[in-house]
Amino acid sequence: MIGKSPLLAAFLLLLAVSSEVSADGLVNEEVKRTVDLSTHLAKITAEIVLSNQGHSAVQSFMLAVEADLAPHLAYIGASVSQTLVKETADHFCLGQFYKVQLPSTLAAGAQLKAKVEMTFSHVLKPFPTQITQAERQLVVFQGNHYLYSPYPTRSQTTRVRLASKTVESYTKLGNPSKNDEIVEYGPFRDVAPFSEDTMKIHYENNTPFLTISSITRTIEVSHWGNIAVEETIDLRHTGAVLKGPFSRYDYQRQSDSGISSVKSFKTILPASAQDVYYRDEIGNISTSHLQVLDDSVEVEVRPRFPLFGGWKTHYMIGYNLPSYEYLYTLGDQYALKMRLVDHVYDDQVIDSLTVKIILPEGARNIHVDTPYRIDRMPNQLHYTYLDTFGRPVLVATKNNLVEHHIQDVVVHYNFNKILMLQEPLLVVGAFYILFFTVIIYVRLDFAITKDPAAEVRMKVASITEQVLTLVNKRLGLYRHMDEVVNRYKQSRDTGALNSGRKTLEADHRTLTNEISSLQARLKAEGSDLADKVGEVQKLDGQVKELVCRSCQEAERLVAGKVKKEAYIESEKTLTSKRQELVSRIDSLLDAL
Amino acid sequence: MAEHHPVSDSKHKSSLNSGASYSGNGRSSTAVAERGSNAGAGGGGLSGGLSQPAGWQSLLSFTILFLAWLAGFSSRLFAVIRFESIIHEFDPWFNYRSTHHLTTNGFYEFLNWFDERAWYPLGRIVGGTVYPGLMVTAGLIHYVLNLLHITVHIRDVCVFLAPVFSGLTSISTFLLTKELWNQGAGLLAACFIAIVPGYISRSVAGSFDNEGIAIFALQFTYYLWVKSVKTGSVFWTIGCCLSYFYMVSAWGGYVFIINLIPLHVFVLLLMQRFSRRVYIAYSTFYIIGLVLSMQIPFVGFQPIRTSEHMAAAGVFVLLQVYAFLQYLKDRLTRQEFQTLFFLGVSVAAGVVFLSVIYLTYTGCYAKIHIPIIASVSEHQPTTWVSFFFDLHILVCTFPAGLWFCIKNINDERVFVALYAISAVYFAGVMVRLMLTLTPVVCMLSAVAFSSVFEHYLGDDMKRQSPPAEDSSDEDDRKNAGNLYDKAGKVRKHVSEQEKAEEGLGPNIKSIVTMLMLMLLMMFAVHCTWVTSNAYSSPSVVLASYNHDGSRNILDDFREAYYWLRQNTDEHARVMSWWDYGYQIAGMANRTTLVDNNTWNNSHIALVGKAMSSNETAAYEIMRSLDVDYVLIIFGGVIGYSGDDINKFLWMVRIAEGEHPRDIRESDYFTPQGEFRVDKAGSPTLLNCLMYKMSYYRFGEMQLDFRTPPGFDRTRNAEIGNKDIKLKHLEEAFTSEHWLVRIYKVKKLENRDRVEHKLRSTDATKQKYTTKKVSWDFKHWTV
């Protein structure tokens, strides 16, 4: 199956590392390979017993991937013995070779158990490539019967797990046994290094062949306590393409109609996710359900329509997280620890990922620790509410990701806490300017032409105001005088009465003078209110007379010149007269 | 005070010692009371606007207007709260799409936009066939917000534009009513227009339509017009022209303004109320307004060409002649000749004016008889019920307000009376024009309520009326040469009211007041109820309620449109009835054949013909129009009555209008003249494309156990043709509740056969290809 040139290339690459490999003298003693094809991914695990038959101790060993599978390799990882130290080998990539650094050296003649995990995406090809709604989906897998390794293998078995019992055909190397969903090959003895023998399995697989053709994950950090996450997802069903009509009737009435289509799937969000939304360009997608569990939030994402082979959809899902769970701080230093990519659906395949991390405005000395290699793009600036010079945005992309890539990224940066005040101050400043402008506008006159009438009116208004206060004050004087008279009636202290009368006279004169000067000014402005004020003055004179008379009456009473009854009588008439006058003054004042 | 004195004195008499303290208390309490009354008087003086113009009164009116804005805004949010922030119905989707185009591509690109996705294969010059005011407003708000780094999505700007503008409408209504009557009536009018259903129906959140901003522009233009007639200042007139320009850019209803204002001027002339102010205002308005309105590409040269605008020109000429005659009158002495001449001219001009108006509106009527216009539900005549439904108590009180205005007539009240009468007429003709009636009803009802309250509301009436009188006096004094006397009227009011008070007593007064308040309360309740139940459905998303009150959302429209958007070729052409054109363009982003901008009747008729022909004939039409998909709405499963089968007769009628030889409406009826989809239906109907597409495989479907399979819930009938086979179409997508069904038009199946025959002999192949070409050609010439 493999063309000549890739083989040659592999050989050349082999030469490049041959010195290292040959020096090792490593041998795969026993290999148990499991090829899991039950989903739309090919997950190959190999448990290898590795022995060092060379003369020197080794620090590392090599893993190899077949040339035609290598482009589809999404993840490769190795763990050694019981130590759970996982060595993701991406960093040592040499073509399709990966070097695993051992935690401790492997002495000559010693043995070691290693477990290698590889995940391949898009290696299960639907065949036939187009099916109708009623048909089931068949796929073909092409792989290797043997472990592809730079070292000779003493003994190996390969076990293939399929998605269903229905198998159209499979290669029969070494008389494999088939039991339900499992096909077992081997054991094969003494396999040479780099041996390949095509394994081809054609079987029924109705698991959802969903592929995220692109996802943009935006993480927006706010120091006010919130981290907003939004994922924009392009989803495609990459299984066999639907041929012919889509019948809703069949889909609703027959349970096995469109069995390979995808109705819904579950997305697991962090436990503290809040305000989850699920929408697209034309609005909310109302067919989803949200379930809050103890350790996570599950969203049942149901696209607007069931996804058949070849159909695609596009949506956004977003939520808020409290920042105290993900943001760590020490003085001015901050560290954000979040998942670089999160769960979308089980056994997810992401063709292209773009991560954007929006840091607060003013973040400096940004430094990123990624769990695996990822392509950084130049930083961008993002402007949103109340920003002035923009928030730094870190952009990174990576292709071909699977579930194993759900790992944390750490972003370190410095942020001056004073900058937190910037936004509130901005708002305060804006309101200040607004109110100030209103004040300026109301207080100042911007008219080009002068309106003399309006000015006169304003002047008159202010004068009337003054008149009002003065008249009220004058009325207050009479009240004060009443009190003085009462006190006099009790104490019979003529001196106090006289002094009180004197102060009344003096105050009254000044007030009356002031009012009449104001009246004159009103007259000068040509207002008819001057007459009214004059009337008030006249009435006031009468009031004053009455007050004086009541004062005299009281004196006479105290002196015993009048009887009590007569005094009360006269007092009554005086009061009622006064009352009348005061109310007339009041009504005049109201009219002012 | 009169009581206090004796009491204190008697105390003093009985026991001098203790009485002192008592009397002291008595005095101080009177003093306090007196001071209080003085303060009250001071307050009265303040609100009178004499001592401090920007005082309590302006604070109060500011607060009331602000609250009216808030109430109007929030009562329009039912749809957003119940569903989501989404664009409603049909036309708003186009407006949204073009606003989106404007914000992404810039203003000039928008003006020059040729939309090749509409009216395939004709296309549409959007920039020149649209009133750009709405899009530009939304785009401008979006631009300013983004400039301030307030990152609001253009969709949200569009959704909330109409509620925000309703606040502006209530403010301009306040200003206009204040000019016409007084501030109190203005505030009432502002509150009315904020919540009245007749206006809410076009301005709920999400209904991003021209009317949403046009009513504001209309009211504001009228306010500025009244202001310019009152002052005769060029400043206000220029403001009026700018506002008119905005209105022209926003809505085709500007024709209402350009006819009403000349009518106002004309009637003022007839009433001998001509003055320099009117002359300045109208001359300036006509010239500048004309020039500005011609700047809108869609309007272009219409203002000097079409009959709708001729009345304005006629009045302009008349006004010039009249002014000239006035001038001559000052110079010449032969009075009798002058008056005779004037009479002759005015009568002639009146005849011309009326005939022009008559021609205009008879022209409108002629248009109405085209079936495509008649098929739109909002072009139906208004029923009495919908008057009450949309205006509630206001429809009863507004004649009273009109009567008040006519009773105390002046220049601007002539205007509002004409506004009211013409708006009532137009609202009676078309449901849609209810919208222009609503503001004037609010204003006049506010006048009526305000006058009634002035009569009946409490004792403070006495204290309130003199200041009001003062302020109106001032207003009058400002505009020199007023022919009317408002002050006199108010004085009469006072005396009337005093008489009434004496006659009726406080009980009657409070009963009337309570009654009025009850009416207003019921009005508010009704408004909320109508808004919530009738006008707050996006109609893109449907909701049904279960017995336990939980809600099911039927999102079939968006399901199907989104399927089209995601899973069809980017340039696929979708045929559907024109109702769904804008939605397909907006939500599915696919090319449509016809849409809600029904400018090409024959194209629509062609689609109608395809829908009402049998499959083979329809296939020919669809091939000739390059149709890839056909989209129909089918409500038979869930009982949705606005589906295509119910609209089908209109398709037939419109098709018949253009193709009377192929389509006849009578063919679709039973011999008894009924339109039935069951076995008794006419065979033409049971075999037409629309029927087949609607009921394809529906005959197998049993919805519940009480009904036979293929039972249509909308029309309550078992369908007549259950065995439907499609030859040239195949089902491409059907939404969850079958509401939207999309069919794919198959390509001609001939390639395989050609290859097959090619192997047998060479000669046949030759013959076949030539035949094929000619056949294809024939199709293209159809």
Side-chain angles (χ1 to χ4, degrees), chain A residues 234 242-250 252-254 279-287 302 304-307 310-315 382-390 442 451 457-458 461-462 465 468 472 475 479 482-483 486 489-490 492 529 557 564-565 567-568 571-572 575 578-579 582 586 589-592, chain B residues 1-2 5-6 9 12-13 16-17 19-21 23-24 27-28 30-31 34-35 37-38 40-42 45-46 50-54 83-86 93 96 148-152 155 463 474 477-478 541 553 555 558-559 561-563 565-567 586-588 697 700-703 730-738:
Chain A
D234 275 310
L242 178 73
K243 178 175 71 180
F246 160 65
S247 166
R248 178 65 73 168
Y249 179 79
D250 291 342
Q252 280 173 338
R253 293 297 144 125
Q254 291 162 27
R279 55 178 299 128
D280 55 28
E281 297 102 313
I282 58 172
N284 217 12
I285 304 169
S286 49
T287 43
R302 223 174 118 192
R304 289 193 186 274
F305 42 85
L307 285 173
W311 289 9
K312 67 184 171 68
T313 191
H314 172 94
Y315 68 88
H382 176 76
Y383 295 95
T384 181
Y385 302 102
L386 302 174
D387 284 350
T388 42
F389 51 91
V442 170
D451 185 358
R457 221 179 300 135
M458 298 263 282
S462 75
E465 189 79 347
L468 278 177
N472 279 336
L475 289 175
R479 249 171 272 131
D482 285 342
E483 271 169 49
N486 273 347
K489 276 188 280 189
Q490 285 158 29
R492 297 159 189 258
L529 291 176
L557 172 73
K564 246 183 192 172
E565 286 73 30
Y567 172 73
I568 288 169
E571 186 69 26
K572 226 180 213 170
T575 322
R578 210 171 114 188
Q579 189 62 40
V582 168
D586 273 348
L589 288 182
D590 278 354
L592 274 183
Chain B
M1 240 158 92
H5 279 271
D9 287 332
H12 160 71
K13 216 171 77 176
L16 281 170
N17 280 334
S21 65
S23 68
R27 291 285 169 175
S28 66
T30 35
E34 205 169 359
R35 220 166 283 147
S37 77
N38 276 331
L46 282 178
L50 252 181
S51 48
Q52 212 179 358
F83 295 94
E84 56 185 285
S85 162
I86 189 189
W93 275 102
Y96 170 60
L148 297 171
H149 292 154
I150 299 173
T151 43
V152 179
R155 182 193 56 243
R463 201 163 282 185
E474 269 164 56
R477 242 175 273 147
K478 258 187 259 170
V541 190
I553 286 187
D555 213 352
R558 285 194 291 178
E559 179 185 349
Y561 292 140
Y562 206 61
W563 181 84
R565 188 187 188 109
Q566 293 292 333
N567 294 307
M587 287 195 253
R697 302 206 66 185
E700 300 164 45
M701 183 147 170
Q702 189 163 18
L703 287 167
E730 71 177 20
E731 188 179 4
F733 187 79
T734 297
S735 64
E736 197 182 344
H737 303 98
W738 291 50

Side-chain angles (χ1 to χ4, degrees), chain B residues 169-188:
Chain B
T169 309
S170 65
I171 285 173
S172 47
T173 306
F174 161 73
L175 293 172
L176 180 55
T177 320
K178 195 179 144 199
E179 290 305 318
L180 294 172
W181 200 257
N182 60 26
Q183 197 157 12
L187 290 174
L188 264 178

Side-chain angles (χ1 to χ4, degrees), chain B residues 599-647:
Chain B
W599 64 277
N600 190 329
N601 191 38
S602 64
H603 211 55
I604 292 178
L606 206 55
V607 171
K609 189 185 170 190
M611 295 291 192
S612 37
S613 311
N614 63 41
E615 196 186 346
T616 319
Y619 186 59
E620 284 184 23
I621 299 171
M622 290 191 291
R623 288 283 304 162
S624 69
L625 289 171
D626 287 345
V627 175
D628 295 312
Y629 293 92
V630 188
L631 180 144
I632 56 156
I633 307 295
F634 171 62
V637 174
I638 54 163
Y640 174 73
S641 60
D643 70 350
D644 277 348
I645 292 281
N646 280 359
K647 290 175 187 168

